[in-house]
């Protein structure tokens, strides 16, 4: 229980309280009411903490400010998948509701186990039948691997709200692509402004654009003229006043009839009040260059004639001036985040200035990882390359490519998280490596996006030895593609009384293709351990060679692969074992004993070349003793693969053609056919 167990709470301040479980400031489990309150500087710190500011399963919180609260998982916990700090500002479950409120500057923190979804909803967590209406959720942060820096919703409803500018570095005005304002796992999301969000469905009436606050960095979250939130909400019964008590709706645009605004604050009518200005950018993001169309918006009484002064480089000096410059365009041809300023001089109402930080964002399409660069952001040329992959990933937007020069690049304290569609591409998988720094204990990558890709790399020496959740020595893979990689000498070890799964890769989705997975191990101090090479509960393994991996617990399963789900095709699993087991050789094993494997080679498979396409004999490598895992000329795996959609034009692990014969070969390596000479004797 938190600072206050509430039935009715009006015009109150709840600050600097702490809970060792849920609801650092307020705990509501009945049909209570909190209104016109400030809930600030509270925290909930526990193994599984919910609601740093407010925890509610029923009742209504309305017309309130919830700011600078914290929910944090205690550092000495095992950190299992259920131990997830949720709702840094507000945790809503059951039938609880949040109306006409501002949720600002809250945090959710999990510093012990590194995994996707380690925090949920740094601003607001919404589940079950809970509802959030007409609220503004800004400046919250849930970490590099959190789901929803502003809002996480798995059930209930988010409507008529603004969720924007939730990311690290907010106070300094930095902009980062490494955040999601809203993460939707379920529920309904409609009639909101929510740029850069993860939605499972587009939703009705949602707008992915800058909300047009008057000055978000100075804490002024009122709406400037031209905001996409003005007159854009849908009518909800009972929502008749905003956060400040102003009647809804006001006509903040030129609409014939007023509609309510999205967010907590209703905008003034266009012809009322002092001079107010705003501008919108038709396209805010681009690769390598950006041709942006900008539109000025002006409101206020007695405006008279207007003159527009545009500053495109943020130096305080106008670059274009004129009475006819309400609409302008500008080419931003330099990679980076560009501040844009606008000053409007009115003959009848004085002048006003607005500066928007990072209003135009030009992302590099290609970034460089190398020891030979100057480490100058945004790392978009070989000369500016960095040797620290995480720094580069922080600058890379969806669909960008990171090119890795030959060398060995260290992962030091925590894994690199690919939560966007970034491709990390090596020069050659025999000379280009991503590896754990010797003094650290970390896996190498977390892959969470369908467009994320690791290709043509060696991934080695990952070591994840933790009390709980020792999953994936090199990669924890939820989605994406690993292609033409050598994954070797990685290890997981669970301790104490905890599991250790997937010595190289722990996968619940995505695809591992054309890769060699060798000499990895999984273990545990005193519990089960499965999948010396790969533990898979989903996804697909295609054309891989999985050899010489081991499980160090005799009760473990799957020296090469443990298959709890997913599919395996065109793959060789051989010479993998369980240490200390009565029958040590165990290449592929399944949770139920039933394997989902086709056109592959392993001792556990039933020989059925005309049916499943599986074979269980020796794959006949060129030289296993010297780790030469190419196929000898008389291997039964040659011309034995099933053709996949990419096979005809694809590549094998050496980046040579995937098909060199009638059909492709099983395994990572395609065999070079021997040439013969025909002599005609007469």
């Amino acid at each position: 229980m938190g600072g206050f167990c509430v039935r009715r709470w009006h015009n109150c301040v709840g600050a600097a309280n702490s809970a060792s479980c849920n609801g650092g400031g307020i705990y509501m489990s009945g049909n209570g009411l909190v209104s016109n309150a400030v809930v600030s500087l509270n925290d909930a710190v526990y193994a599984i903490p919910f609601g740093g500011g407010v925890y509610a399963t029923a009742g209504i919180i309305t017309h309130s400010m919830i700011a600078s609260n914290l929910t944090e998982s205690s550092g000495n916990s095992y950190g299992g998948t259920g131990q997830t700090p949720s709702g840094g500002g507000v945790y809503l479950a059951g039938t609880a509701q949040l109306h006409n409120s501002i949720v600002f500057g809250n945090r959710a923190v999990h510093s012990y186990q590194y995994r996707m979804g380690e925090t949920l909803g740094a601003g607001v967590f919404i589940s079950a039948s809970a509802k959030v209406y007409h609220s503004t959720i800004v400046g919250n942060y849930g970490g590099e691997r959190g789901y929803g820096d502003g809002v996480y919703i798995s059930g209930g409803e988010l409507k008529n709200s603004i969720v924007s500018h939730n990311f690290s570095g907010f106070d300094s005005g930095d902009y980062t692509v490494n955040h999601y304002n809203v993460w939707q796992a379920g529920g309904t999301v409609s009639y909101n402004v929510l740029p850069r969000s993860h939605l499972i469905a587009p939703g009705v009436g949602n707008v992915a654009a800058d909300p047009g606050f008057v000055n978000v960095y100075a804490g002024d979250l009122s709406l400037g003229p031209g905001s996409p939130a003005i007159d854009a909400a849908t009518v909800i019964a009972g929502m008749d006043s905003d956060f400040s008590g102003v009647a809804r709706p006001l006509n903040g645009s030129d609409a014939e009839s007023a509609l309510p605004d999205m967010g907590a604050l209703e905008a003034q009518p266009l012809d009322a009040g002092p001079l107010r200005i705003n501008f919108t950018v038709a396209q805010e993001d681009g690769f390598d260059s950006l041709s942006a169309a900008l539109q000025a918006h002006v409101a206020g009484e007695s405006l008279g004639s207007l003159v527009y002064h545009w500053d495109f480089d943020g130096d305080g000096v106008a670059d274009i001036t004129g009475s006819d410059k309400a609409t302008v365009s500008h080419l931003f041809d330099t990679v980076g985040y560009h501040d844009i300023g606008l000053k409007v001089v009115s003959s009848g109402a004085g002048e006003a200035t607005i500066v928007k930080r990072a209003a135009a964002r030009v992302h590099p399409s290609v970034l460089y990882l190398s020891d030979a660069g100057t480490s100058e952001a945004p790392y978009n040329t070989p000369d500016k390359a960095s040797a620290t992959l995480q720094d580069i990933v922080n600058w890379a937007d969806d669909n960008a490519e990171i090119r890795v020069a030959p060398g060995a690049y260290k992962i030091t304290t925590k894994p690199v998280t690919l939560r966007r569609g970034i491709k990390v591409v090596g020069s050659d998988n025999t000379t280009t490596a991503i590896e754990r720094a010797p003094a650290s204990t970390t896996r190498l990558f977390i892959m969470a996006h369908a467009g994320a890709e690791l290709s043509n790399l060696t991934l080695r020496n990952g070591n994840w030895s933790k009390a709980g959740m020792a999953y994936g020595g090199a990669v924890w893979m939820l989605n994406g593609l690993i292609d033409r990689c050598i994954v070797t000498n990685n290890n997981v070890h669970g301790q104490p009384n905890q599991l250790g799964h997937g010595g190289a890769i722990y996968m619940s989705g995505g695809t591992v293709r054309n890769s060699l997975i060798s000499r990895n191990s999984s273990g545990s101090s005193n519990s089960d351990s499965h999948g010396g090479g790969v533990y898979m509960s989903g996804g697909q393994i295609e054309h891989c060679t999985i050899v010489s991996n081991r499980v160090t617990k005799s009760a473990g399963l799957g020296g090469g692969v443990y298959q709890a789900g997913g599919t395996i095709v065109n793959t060789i699993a051989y010479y993998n074992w369980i240490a200390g087991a009565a029958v040590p050789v165990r290449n592929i094993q399944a949770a139920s004993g039933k394997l989902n494997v086709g056109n592959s080679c392993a001792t556990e498979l039933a020989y059925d070349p005309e049916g499943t396409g599986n074979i269980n004999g020796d794959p006949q490598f060129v030289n296993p003793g010297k780790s030469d895992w190419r196929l000898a000329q008389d291997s039964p795996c040659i011309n034995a693969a099933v053709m996949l959609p990419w096979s005809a034009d694809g590549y094998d692990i050496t980046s040579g053609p995937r098909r060199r014969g009638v059909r492709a070969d099983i395994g990572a390596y395609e065999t070079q056919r021997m040439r013969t000479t025909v002599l005609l004797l007469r």
Side-chain angles (χ1 to χ4, degrees), residues 645-677:
W646 56 269
S647 299
D649 300 317
Y651 302 97
D652 75 347
I653 192 171
T654 69
S655 295
R658 170 37 75 185
R659 186 179 66 176
R660 296 177 181 175
V662 177
R663 294 164 63 185
D665 299 344
I666 296 173
Y669 295 88
E670 195 73 11
T671 301
Q672 182 70 46
R673 304 299 182 260
M674 293 180 64
R675 295 183 178 181
T676 59
T677 301

Side-chain angles (χ1 to χ4, degrees), residues 192-569:
N192 306 284
V193 176
L194 32 67
R196 193 169 285 276
S197 294
H198 170 85
L199 304 181
I200 58 177
V204 177
N206 292 317
V207 179
D210 182 87
F213 295 127
V214 169
N215 192 337
V216 63
Y217 296 110
D220 188 344
L221 302 180
S222 55
L223 301 176
S227 163
I230 293 176
D231 288 351
T234 187
V235 175
I236 300 175
M239 302 291 111
D240 53 7
S241 65
D242 75 354
F243 171 81
S244 299
V246 173
R248 288 188 192 273
L250 298 176
N251 194 337
S253 65
D254 289 326
E256 292 184 6
S257 59
L259 287 172
D261 299 342
M262 299 172 180
L265 295 166
E266 195 77 6
Q268 296 182 61
L270 284 175
D271 58 357
L275 175 65
R276 307 184 307 283
I277 67 171
N278 183 31
F279 66 86
T280 53
V281 183
Q283 182 177 339
E284 300 172 17
D285 295 270
F287 275 116
D288 300 326
S289 65
L290 173 63
S291 182
L294 300 98
Q295 173 70 55
H297 302 276
V298 183
E301 299 175 358
S302 306
L303 296 179
S305 60
L306 302 172
V307 179
Y308 304 91
H309 304 260
W310 291 95
D311 173 14
F312 298 124
D313 53 16
D315 64 355
V317 178
D319 299 300
I320 293 179
T321 298
S323 59
D324 59 344
K325 303 301 181 184
T327 302
V328 297
S329 61
H330 183 74
L331 176 64
F332 295 92
D333 56 4
T334 303
V335 171
Y337 303 148
H338 299 272
D339 298 347
I340 300 175
L342 170 65
K343 181 171 74 172
V344 177
V345 178
S346 163
S347 62
E351 64 180 53
T353 300
I354 184 173
V355 177
K356 291 191 178 183
R357 298 173 179 173
R361 301 174 291 274
V362 182
H363 308 283
S365 60
V366 179
L367 305 91
Y368 295 88
L369 178 66
S370 171
D371 288 320
T374 58
S375 297
E376 181 181 347
Y379 320 108
N380 61 317
T381 68
D383 290 342
K384 296 179 180 179
S386 172
T388 303
L389 180 57
Q390 185 65 64
D391 290 347
I392 303 172
V393 167
N394 290 345
W395 269 90
D397 203 3
D398 278 329
N399 301 311
E401 179 179 305
I402 299 174
R403 295 181 183 171
V404 186
Y409 302 93
K410 303 292 190 291
I411 306 298
T412 54
T413 58
K414 55 188 176 181
V416 173
T417 302
L418 301 180
R419 64 189 295 183
R420 299 181 301 289
I422 302 167
K423 296 175 173 60
V424 183
V425 181
S427 303
D428 182 286
N429 57 31
T430 63
T431 61
T432 308
I434 308 294
E435 63 184 15
R436 174 185 58 88
S440 64
T441 300
T442 183
R443 72 171 66 91
L444 306 180
F445 288 96
I446 297 171
M447 298 181 69
H449 193 284
E453 181 178 327
L454 301 173
S455 64
N456 220 16
L457 296 161
T458 288
L459 309 176
R460 68 189 181 205
N461 302 337
N463 181 23
W464 195 247
S465 179
K466 288 288 184 181
M469 291 185 60
Y471 298 164
V475 181
W476 186 331
M477 189 175 192
L478 294 87
N479 218 323
L481 173 66
I482 296 175
D483 185 28
R484 291 173 291 145
C485 287
I486 299 170
V487 191
T488 186
N489 290 313
N490 302 284
N491 172 68
V492 292
H493 190 84
Q495 56 177 337
N497 301 313
Q498 300 296 310
L499 309 174
H501 293 333
I505 301 169
Y506 180 92
M507 64 185 300
S508 57
T511 300
V512 182
R513 177 184 296 164
N514 299 315
S515 294
L516 172 65
I517 300 170
S518 176
R519 298 183 182 277
N520 305 283
S521 66
S522 65
S524 174
S525 295
N526 53 359
S527 190
D528 289 340
S529 177
H530 303 323
V534 181
Y535 181 108
M536 65 184 309
S537 59
Q540 183 151 305
I541 297 175
E542 305 172 347
H543 278 293
C544 290
T545 298
I546 303 172
V547 289
S548 295
N549 304 283
R550 67 172 180 155
V551 170
T552 62
K553 293 293 290 184
S554 61
L557 299 173
V561 180
Y562 178 83
Q563 189 180 46
T567 60
I568 301 173
V569 63

Side-chain angles (χ1 to χ4, degrees), residues 48-120:
I48 314 174
F50 299 154
V54 177
Y55 174 93
T57 58
I60 295 174
I61 304 102
T62 186
H63 295 81
S64 293
M65 170 72 75
I66 297 100
S68 302
N69 302 284
L70 168 69
T71 177
E72 180 176 6
S73 187
S74 53
N76 61 353
S77 69
Y78 283 158
T81 54
Q83 293 171 305
T84 304
S86 303
V90 183
Y91 181 98
L92 299 175
T95 59
Q97 298 189 27
L98 177 71
H99 304 162
N100 296 302
S101 294
I102 294 174
V103 183
F104 182 91
N106 304 281
R107 291 185 300 134
V109 176
H110 195 326
S111 58
Y112 184 65
Q113 288 283 1
Y114 299 129
R115 59 180 174 85
M116 285 306 299
E118 64 191 16
T119 66
L120 303 177

